[in-house]
Amino acid sequence: MRVTYRYLRPLTVVYARGTGPYQISCREAWGRMGGWLDQRRARWRIKQGYGYFRDNPRLTAPDLLRYDACVPVIFGLDPEPNTGIGRQTLPGGAYAVHTH
């Protein structure tokens, strides 16, 4: 996997949160996000995704780690808190970037 670093502007996204060790919470969050997008027949409209590791695993207990699977807000795709999909603005700054 080739990783580069890029400065990104703040970005409004919809997200699904997973909690627990990152190797588990990442799959949980992307599974929920993918299912939600499929139910809305919107997966094909999404060209980018962002994984947001919210906590430092050296400072936070494994069961309290938070990971957000994020996709940019697009027309007609509104958050639904009752399904575990929220809305937030990712802060601008330097990010590690790689392509799947």
Side-chain angles (χ1 to χ4, degrees), residues 42-83:
R43 189 184 287 246
W44 66 272
R45 296 174 59 196
I46 304 300
K47 304 299 181 204
Q48 294 178 320
Y50 302 89
Y52 190 27
F53 296 85
R54 299 194 66 90
D55 304 295
N56 182 338
R58 292 182 180 164
L59 303 175
T60 305
D63 57 324
L64 299 177
L65 294 171
R66 299 167 296 159
Y67 175 87
D68 295 344
C70 309
V71 297
V73 170
I74 58 175
F75 180 76
L77 196 58
D78 297 315
E80 296 178 24
N82 60 328
T83 64

Side-chain angles (χ1 to χ4, degrees), residues 13-31:
V13 297
V14 291
Y15 73 96
R17 178 164 293 163
T19 56
Y22 283 138
Q23 63 268 30
I24 296 168
S25 59
C26 293
R27 280 184 297 227
E28 174 190 331
W30 282 112

Side-chain angles (χ1 to χ4, degrees), residues 1-6 8 30 47-51 53 67 95-100:
M1 168 174 47
R2 182 171 177 234
V3 176
T4 59
Y5 295 90
R6 205 176 291 161
L8 300 175
W30 282 112
K47 304 299 181 204
Q48 294 178 320
Y50 302 89
F53 296 85
Y67 175 87
Y95 286 86
V97 177
H98 72 93
T99 302
H100 282 273

